[in-house]
Amino acid sequence: MKQIKLPTHLALIMDGNGRWAKRRFRPRAYGHRMGVQNMFRICTHAFRLGVRIVTVYALSTENLFRPKEELNELFDLIRSYFTKKKDKLLEMGVKVNVIGDITVFPPDIRESVLNVMDETKALTEGLFNICLDYGSRQEIVRAVNIAVSQGRFVDEASFSALLSTGSLPDPDLIIRTGGELRLSNFLLYQAAYSELYFSNKMWPEFSKRDLEKAIENYSARDRRFGNVREGTT
Ligand code: IPE
Ligand code: IPE
Ligand code: MG
């Protein structure tokens, strides 16, 4: 890859697993399984390229309204990657942090999530945030309620700190696969100045080269943050 400006914080909306499977006449669960495999492939590649923070949208709060059968399959996948397949997570060599309301998960999943977070907490090479049962509006409302309950006013910095991304820098680049042009309740506050990149590829078929292309595209963008650049008219 040619010399480019990397995002410090890359966020991924991994959409399209179900449609990808359907096109292959396979059940949606197969799409989710291949989607998780691709998550490891793509995120490992991102860290290898030098990205420091990767945040993936793996399950939204609204996704919990899907049919029970699909949810059971999603829960089984989560369980498996935090227990018997947890080496896949540990192999990445980065700190794993789960963002979202994990209290909705059965106790064994909650425990194994906390266990992986604890096992990787000292790793400083990179940070891998996995959003599970995450909803940005819910996160904002929760932050407001914390501030109110403490009887304090907030400013932008202290409000950001109350969000589940805490002191992390905002995402520089958000990539959404699956062809939809929306954020679907993902990092709404944090995305104020994120660069957005949409791919028509379904998540399981989004390749390392596709990631590089998205980063190259990001690298060529002019981020003005509302200001003007020297030399522009
Ligand atoms: C994204 O894929 C993964 C989750 C939301 C869990 P989808 O399951 O939304 O796949 P499509 O969008 O229906 O193809
Ligand atoms: C967004 O995809 C959530 C994740 C990728 C986890 P959805 O499939 O839930 O989004 P909508 O329903 O198309 O907006
Ligand atoms: Mg979808």
Side-chain angles (χ1 to χ4, degrees):
M1 214 162 126
K2 58 180 187 280
Q3 198 52 43
I4 49 137
K5 183 180 72 204
L6 282 173
T8 302
H9 183 175
L10 168 71
L12 300 168
I13 302 176
M14 307 181 295
D15 193 25
N17 294 345
R19 280 165 288 164
W20 180 85
K22 202 173 162 203
R23 285 174 193 173
R24 282 157 185 78
F25 307 101
R26 303 291 296 262
R28 292 178 62 83
Y30 176 69
H32 292 313
R33 273 207 307 282
M34 293 300 125
V36 177
Q37 286 187 17
N38 203 37
M39 177 188 82
F40 283 107
R41 194 177 307 131
I42 297 303
C43 296
T44 301
H45 192 55
F47 286 120
R48 215 172 272 151
L49 291 173
V51 175
R52 300 285 304 178
I53 305 166
V54 179
T55 300
V56 292
Y57 202 9
L59 188 72
S60 74
T61 300
E62 290 74 22
N63 290 152
L64 293 175
F65 294 103
R66 289 191 179 188
K68 201 157 176 18
E69 192 187 304
E70 179 165 350
L71 278 184
N72 283 339
E73 286 157 350
L74 286 166
F75 278 28
D76 282 348
L77 261 181
I78 296 168
R79 178 180 285 106
S80 137
Y81 278 94
F82 281 93
T83 54
K84 57 182 193 295
K85 288 189 185 164
K86 77 173 177 185
D87 282 354
K88 290 286 289 174
L89 278 166
L90 302 182
E91 268 167 25
M92 296 176 89
V94 295
K95 180 172 168 174
V96 176
N97 183 36
V98 170
I99 288 179
D101 182 12
I102 64 165
T103 59
V104 294
F105 297 112
D108 67 310
I109 295 188
R110 284 202 310 257
E111 205 175 299
S112 53
V113 163
L114 294 175
N115 174 263
V116 168
M117 282 168 59
D118 191 56
E119 272 188 57
T120 60
K121 68 172 186 249
L123 300 171
T124 54
E125 279 301 292
L127 175 65
F128 185 40
N129 295 309
I130 308 173
C131 298
L132 290 175
D133 184 19
Y134 172 83
S136 184
R137 283 189 169 177
Q138 296 82 339
E139 168 188 52
I140 290 168
V141 168
R142 193 177 55 242
V144 169
N145 283 328
I146 294 172
V148 168
S149 71
Q150 295 171 348
R152 61 179 170 116
F153 289 100
V154 288
D155 57 18
E156 285 178 25
S158 58
F159 187 71
S160 288
L162 293 175
L163 300 175
S164 40
T165 39
S167 59
L168 291 185
D170 288 338
D172 300 293
L173 171 62
I174 300 179
I175 300 174
R176 179 175 187 143
T177 60
E180 311 295 354
L181 308 180
R182 53 180 173 256
L183 288 175
S184 301
N185 206 14
F186 185 52
L187 301 177
L188 302 180
Y189 186 86
Q190 299 89 331
Y193 272 102
S194 301
E195 295 297 327
L196 307 180
Y197 183 93
F198 297 98
S199 167
N200 285 327
K201 292 255 183 105
M202 299 296 130
W203 175 252
E205 66 192 2
F206 187 77
S207 68
K208 291 185 203 172
R209 184 65 201 124
D210 292 326
L211 173 69
E212 291 173 2
K213 276 196 255 178
I215 293 178
E216 280 162 12
N217 181 288
Y218 160 84
S219 176
R221 294 189 193 184
D222 182 16
R223 301 185 77 190
R224 290 188 292 279
F225 299 96
N227 213 323
V228 285
R229 271 189 322 138
E230 292 276 310
T232 55
T233 50

